[in-house]
């Protein structure tokens, strides 16, 4: 049987990836090009949002196969592009997968402490929990779990009684077991 392995990555951003790199890597494959564009879009400013990013499930196997083919070709330009793109593929896949267990000590930061970019991001993607990063992380970790997965985190009990988290409580009760 497979032994579970932790997924620990430093979040990397796609901000410096250019169009030529995507075209070279995809080598005329429209599906691969679309996958790369999706990863670049979703991981833009990723250091700002970290594991709050909800990445799209893609054919990561095809991306890894292409990266390996480029490496084996001996092309120096291709090797540089793979070195630039491969970490993004790994992070996107990790954030797109569903897990049997997600365990974290979330950040604690109210909306007032968020910079404008982060505040805008959580308002857009986490409208029911946007008031504090700890509750945003609750929502995200639940999203990262398989249907019968477990989520555990050290959290302050704000979400249990403040009216701003009523939708979160209803969602947890309707879709999860505490």
């Amino acid at each position: 049987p497979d032994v579970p392995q932790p997924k620990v990555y430093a979040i990397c951003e796609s901000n410096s990836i250019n169009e030529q790199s995507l075209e070279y890597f995809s080598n005329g494959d429209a599906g691969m090009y679309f996958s790369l564009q999706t990863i670049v879009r979703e991981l833009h400013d990723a250091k700002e949002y970290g594991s709050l990013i909800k990445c799209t499930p893609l054919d990561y196997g095809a991306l890894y196969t292409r990266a390996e083919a480029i490496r084996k070709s001996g092309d120096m330009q291709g090797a540089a592009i793979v070195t630039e793109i491969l970490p993004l593929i790994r992070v996107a896949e990790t954030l797109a997968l569903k897990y049997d267990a997600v365990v974290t000590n979330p950040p604690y930061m109210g909306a007032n402490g968020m910079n404008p970019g982060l505040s805008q991001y959580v308002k857009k993607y986490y409208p029911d929990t946007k008031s504090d990063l700890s509750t945003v992380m609750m929502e995200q970790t639940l999203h990262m779990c398989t249907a019968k997965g477990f989520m555990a985190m050290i959290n302050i009990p704000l979400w249990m009684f403040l009216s701003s988290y009523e939708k979160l409580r209803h969602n947890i009760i309707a879709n999860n077991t505490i």
Side-chain angles (χ1 to χ4, degrees), residues 5-176:
Q5 296 296 313
K7 302 277 185 174
V8 181
Y9 294 112
I11 296 289
C12 48
E13 297 182 323
S14 61
N15 301 20
S16 65
I17 304 294
N18 62 44
E19 191 69 22
Q20 293 80 17
S21 294
L22 300 182
E23 289 172 2
Y24 180 94
F25 191 99
S26 61
N27 196 31
D29 183 323
M32 186 168 297
Y33 184 79
F34 174 80
S35 293
L36 290 171
Q37 281 186 313
T38 300
I39 291 169
V40 167
R41 183 184 67 253
E42 291 175 344
L43 294 181
H44 187 68
D45 291 337
K47 290 185 181 204
E48 180 81 23
Y49 315 124
S51 57
L52 296 178
I53 298 169
K54 293 180 181 174
C55 287
T56 304
L58 302 166
D59 185 357
Y60 293 101
L63 295 170
Y64 289 126
T65 299
R66 175 65 178 143
E68 188 60 27
I70 293 170
R71 277 194 175 152
K72 286 182 178 178
S73 75
D75 179 1
M76 297 297 283
Q77 176 191 7
I81 291 170
V82 167
T83 299
E84 184 180 36
I85 291 178
L86 193 56
L88 298 170
I89 295 169
R90 288 183 180 131
V91 167
E93 179 187 33
T94 299
L95 292 173
L97 289 172
K98 297 289 186 181
Y99 296 93
D100 293 326
V102 180
V103 180
T104 185
N105 183 4
Y108 306 106
M109 178 189 295
N112 292 340
M114 297 179 200
N115 67 39
L118 180 58
S119 178
Q120 196 171 16
Y121 187 86
V122 297
K123 285 176 185 172
K124 180 177 180 179
Y125 294 103
Y126 299 93
D128 295 343
T129 56
K130 65 186 178 224
S131 301
D132 192 278
L133 275 184
S134 64
T135 52
V136 171
M137 283 302 299
M138 285 178 70
E139 185 177 345
Q140 172 63 342
T141 54
L142 289 168
H143 170 78
M144 293 173 77
C145 288
T146 59
K148 295 188 181 214
F150 292 89
M151 179 272 278
M153 66 173 37
I154 300 166
N155 214 338
I156 51 180
L158 292 171
W159 66 276
M160 296 175 78
F161 57 85
L162 292 179
S163 61
S164 56
Y165 299 116
E166 187 172 349
K167 287 182 181 177
L168 173 64
R169 289 190 298 272
H170 285 293
N171 181 30
I172 289 173
I173 291 168
N175 299 306
N176 303 280

